[in-house]
Amino acid sequence: MSLATGFVVPEQFPVTLLCCAILCVECFGCGMYIGMKARPRTFTKEHMEQFKEEHQKAFPKGEPAVGGWPDAGDGRYSDKLPYKTWVEFNNAMRVHMNFVEMLPVILFTLILGGLFVPVVTMWVAIVNTVARLIYTYSYLTKGSNSRYLGAVAGSLPLYIILIWTVVKLFTLAF
């Protein structure tokens, strides 16, 4: 049995792809600007000095890295931070890691939806691009309890598009 089909890329698809590219840049920028800015401010040379002896026992030729690598906010270096500093650093790390964790789902949903539900997906992509900025700004300036507007504005439309696309694909397949 042979199944030959023609496929036309929807007119709105380039805008959806542009939003996908912008989301990738936002994610990369979030890691570089927010995460990399928080590390030297949090894990200063003075803070890291307290780990020097322990580090040299395990790694005789090295010193603990200013910036606290590999600690992502839940390790030995973070355990010795003042509470306020710990929360601020973890907020910065979570903003980026939440983005990294969700980016594959976001991109998959937008690309697939953009092919089968193009107009709505294009608008969801635009909303998601802005919602990520709101999420990041709120999380960093007002703490983790204020991230909900950006999270809901970005996630809820994606879930709807994903369900809508799956239903559309199901109807096309059967």
Side-chain angles (χ1 to χ4, degrees), residues 91 136-143 146:
N91 283 349
T136 300
Y137 178 78
S138 299
Y139 208 134
L140 291 175
T141 59
K142 298 178 184 137
S146 68

Side-chain angles (χ1 to χ4, degrees), residues 45-99:
K45 185 168 181 62
E46 294 77 28
H47 179 76
M48 298 308 292
E49 192 67 33
Q50 65 187 305
F51 304 100
K52 190 173 186 174
E53 185 179 322
E54 181 181 2
H55 189 85
Q56 286 183 336
K57 284 180 188 174
F59 305 99
K61 295 181 181 178
E63 291 188 15
V66 174
W69 284 278
D71 198 322
D74 57 357
R76 288 180 185 252
Y77 302 148
S78 293
D79 284 345
K80 304 261 176 142
L81 291 171
Y83 183 75
K84 183 179 188 305
T85 306
W86 179 83
V87 169
E88 289 170 349
F89 180 72
N90 273 276
N91 283 349
M93 290 295 101
R94 285 312 312 156
V95 161
H96 182 238
M97 289 313 298
N98 288 346
F99 209 154

Side-chain angles (χ1 to χ4, degrees), residues 110-123:
L110 293 178
I111 291 169
L112 193 61
L115 293 172
F116 295 97
V117 192
V119 176
V120 178
T121 302
M122 177 188 71
W123 287 107

Side-chain angles (χ1 to χ4, degrees), residues 18 24 70 77 120 152:
L18 175 62
C24 289
Y77 302 148
V120 178
V152 171

Side-chain angles (χ1 to χ4, degrees), residues 12-76:
Q12 299 80 8
F13 196 65
V15 175
T16 301
L17 287 181
L18 175 62
C19 288
C20 288
I22 291 169
L23 284 163
C24 289
V25 170
E26 283 180 10
C27 185
F28 181 74
C30 188
M32 293 303 293
Y33 181 72
I34 295 166
M36 294 300 283
K37 188 176 171 184
R39 282 192 171 279
R41 184 177 62 232
T42 304
F43 299 113
T44 63
K45 185 168 181 62
E46 294 77 28
H47 179 76
M48 298 308 292
E49 192 67 33
Q50 65 187 305
F51 304 100
K52 190 173 186 174
E53 185 179 322
E54 181 181 2
H55 189 85
Q56 286 183 336
K57 284 180 188 174
F59 305 99
K61 295 181 181 178
E63 291 188 15
V66 174
W69 284 278
D71 198 322
D74 57 357
R76 288 180 185 252

